[in-house]
Amino acid sequence: MAINCGIVGLPNVGKSTIFSALSGAAAEAANYPFCTINPNVGIVNVPDERLVKLTELFKPQKTIPATVEFVDIAGLVSGASKGEGLGNQFLSHIREVGVIAQVVRCFEDPGIIHVNNRIDPESDMETINIELALADLETLGKRRERAERTLKVQARDEKKAAETTLAALDKIGPVLEQGKPARSVTLNDEERAAVYDCHFITLKPQLYVCNVDEAGMRAAAAGSESPFVGAVKKRAAAEGSGAVCICGKFEAELADISSPEEKLAFLTDLGLTESGLGSLVHAAYRLLGLRTFFTAGADECRAWTIHAGDTAPRAAGVIHTDFEKGFIKAEVYSCEDIVQYGSEAKIKEAGKYRIEGKEYLVQDGDVMFFKFNV
Ligand SMILES: Nc1nc2c(ncn2[C@@H]2O[C@H](COP(=O)(O)OP(=O)(O)OP(=O)(O)O)[C@@H](O)[C@H]2O)c(=O)[nH]1
Ligand SMILES: [Mg+2]
């Protein structure tokens, strides 16, 4: 289960710069609005120190990290839903992502054009959120028409489904009309399933990415923040969204360095412990309630992504459905254990090698070996 993340924001705020730096995929970034027209897609390995440690210990033939897909699209402006700027047709490219990253300009640089000629994160977020809500409202209108047609002509079961859909749309519509996100509406599981095929953008969890300058990055690392970042964090907190600070310019420079030691020195100099990619991905994992477990052996060390609260058979099913169906038991230890004891044999000696059954809730950082029978 790889996660995917759609990048939105006003034009020229640094979306493509951040996309390229994080994904290592080349995307044109230039100091003029609407530089990006065609969407850029990049797949990135999730940085994970624990997988590095496992690889050092097991020296496997291959190491397979978890991955995240980023989709970078054209900038949106006020009125995009009515065709202003490049319009909002590009949003269709991010309809099916799991999480939205909204890049907000929080750096001052008179040399870089801001479409409204003013650095104002609060107003920028409002503009984008309204455009996203309006785009969803358009989708909602089409879905409603379809459900209403079904209600007239179809059999009983289908009518029932259409009624549920309409009830959910009736809850969501007025909220979108106020420019608010669909995620602020309380939906039950049935309603949520009934509107799943709408792929509402504002129903997806959202992360704000403050594109700060180097001074802003230093401040964030030291635990303080500029009024720009403060405004973003305040909004994020009020909505239950996430917020991270990334310096697009710095990440672009960091991406050009190949030596891991030099990279680390560069990060340390700014007071950072992880790259922008790391902080963004970890924030997305937190927001989506995702956890990582590992499989480790002489042939392969691998990171797997699951949901918080997944049981051992569920986790096994991420590897292969047969593992879930025929699940017998799991042998488990934690990454910390293997780092502390150095080998599986030593973990066993210390009595830390566990056998877990069907009810076991997999913990972040577990190293697992599944026994199954098909
Ligand atoms: N000073 C500074 N400039 C930046 C930073 N991030 C991006 N830029 C510059 O801002 C300009 C726009 O960057 P892009 O990445 O093309 O912006 P975008 O959001 O993809 O723009 P569109 O594709 O036009 O919507 C470029 O000249 C970048 O070099 C930053 O952190 N600091
Ligand atoms: Mg761009």
Side-chain angles (χ1 to χ4, degrees):
M1 186 185 68
I3 64 168
N4 38 26
C5 176
I7 304 174
V8 299
L10 288 178
N12 220 39
V13 294
K15 298 182 297 299
S16 297
T17 303
I18 289 176
F19 166 85
S20 298
L22 300 192
S23 68
E28 204 172 336
N31 184 18
Y32 55 84
F34 306 117
C35 164
T36 303
I37 298 176
N38 294 320
N40 302 300
V41 181
I43 293 175
V44 187
N45 292 336
V46 173
D48 196 323
E49 268 307 310
R50 299 166 299 182
L51 189 61
V52 175
K53 285 266 155 46
L54 289 173
T55 301
E56 281 168 15
L57 287 164
F58 284 88
K59 302 185 174 54
Q61 285 174 5
K62 54 179 193 267
T63 297
I64 307 180
T67 55
V68 178
E69 182 183 273
F70 287 103
V71 187
D72 167 42
I73 59 167
L76 293 168
V77 285
S78 175
S81 60
K82 293 186 185 67
E84 285 295 323
L86 295 175
N88 65 13
Q89 51 171 314
F90 303 96
L91 288 177
S92 62
H93 296 288
I94 58 158
R95 284 255 168 237
E96 286 172 42
V97 300
V99 56
I100 300 290
Q102 182 178 146
V103 177
V104 186
R105 174 158 169 182
C106 293
F107 67 85
E108 292 199 75
D109 183 339
I112 304 290
I113 302 158
H114 186 291
V115 281
N116 301 330
N117 298 314
R118 199 160 76 98
I119 314 298
D120 185 348
E122 219 160 322
S123 142
D124 292 359
M125 289 183 287
E126 185 70 7
T127 301
I128 295 299
N129 289 334
I130 287 176
E131 287 309 318
L132 296 178
L134 289 174
D136 278 351
L137 203 56
E138 208 177 299
T139 310
L140 185 143
K142 288 184 195 142
R143 185 69 185 86
R144 179 190 294 282
E145 276 176 29
R146 191 147 63 83
E148 280 167 350
R149 267 200 310 276
T150 307
L151 213 51
K152 282 191 197 122
V153 296
Q154 299 291 345
R156 246 184 43 216
D157 283 0
E158 279 153 357
K159 271 192 186 155
K160 179 87 186 57
E163 276 165 11
T164 312
T165 304
L166 284 170
L169 296 181
D170 281 344
K171 282 193 183 173
I172 298 171
V175 171
L176 293 176
E177 272 162 20
Q178 292 170 33
K180 296 210 179 92
R183 83 182 80 82
S184 62
V185 178
T186 314
L187 297 173
N188 61 34
D189 289 348
E190 203 188 5
E191 290 166 331
R192 197 166 274 275
V195 298
Y196 175 78
D197 63 356
C198 295
H199 299 296
F200 288 128
I201 293 173
T202 67
L203 201 54
K204 301 175 195 297
Q206 178 162 255
L207 262 175
Y208 290 99
V209 178
C210 307
N211 190 6
V212 297
D213 49 24
E214 293 198 5
M217 219 52 234
R218 273 207 175 86
S224 67
E225 61 198 19
S226 70
F228 294 154
V229 172
V232 178
K233 289 206 166 154
K234 192 171 155 207
R235 172 148 201 159
E239 297 177 358
S241 296
V244 292
C245 288
I246 289 186
C247 174
K249 209 167 146 198
F250 172 78
E251 291 295 327
E253 287 164 10
L254 193 67
D256 283 338
I257 302 174
S258 52
S259 137
E261 294 80 28
E262 228 176 291
K263 258 193 184 140
L264 190 65
F266 224 62
L267 285 169
T268 316
D269 182 49
L270 269 195
L272 302 174
T273 50
E274 62 176 355
S275 66
L277 174 63
S279 64
L280 179 61
V281 170
H282 294 141
Y285 268 55
R286 273 197 301 278
L287 192 64
L288 299 173
L290 299 177
R291 302 287 183 268
T292 306
F293 80 88
F294 302 90
T295 47
D299 49 324
E300 182 186 290
C301 286
R302 182 161 180 171
W304 302 89
T305 305
I306 53 166
H307 289 99
D310 277 353
T311 58
R314 257 290 163 83
V318 173
I319 302 177
H320 198 291
T321 45
D322 282 352
F323 281 27
E324 182 168 5
K325 274 189 245 154
F327 180 90
I328 300 170
K329 61 180 179 176
E331 299 176 5
V332 189
Y333 56 86
S334 72
C335 273
E336 284 110 65
D337 288 342
I338 190 96
V339 170
Q340 184 181 343
Y341 297 103
S343 73
E344 288 182 355
K346 295 242 173 66
I347 294 177
K348 281 179 184 157
E349 268 172 40
K352 296 281 175 104
Y353 198 92
R354 291 173 280 135
I355 307 292
E356 300 284 359
K358 284 192 170 140
E359 311 296 325
Y360 178 66
L361 299 180
V362 178
Q363 302 298 303
D364 193 55
D366 276 352
V367 182
M368 310 197 67
F369 182 72
F370 297 105
K371 293 278 165 90
F372 68 104
N373 183 6
V374 279

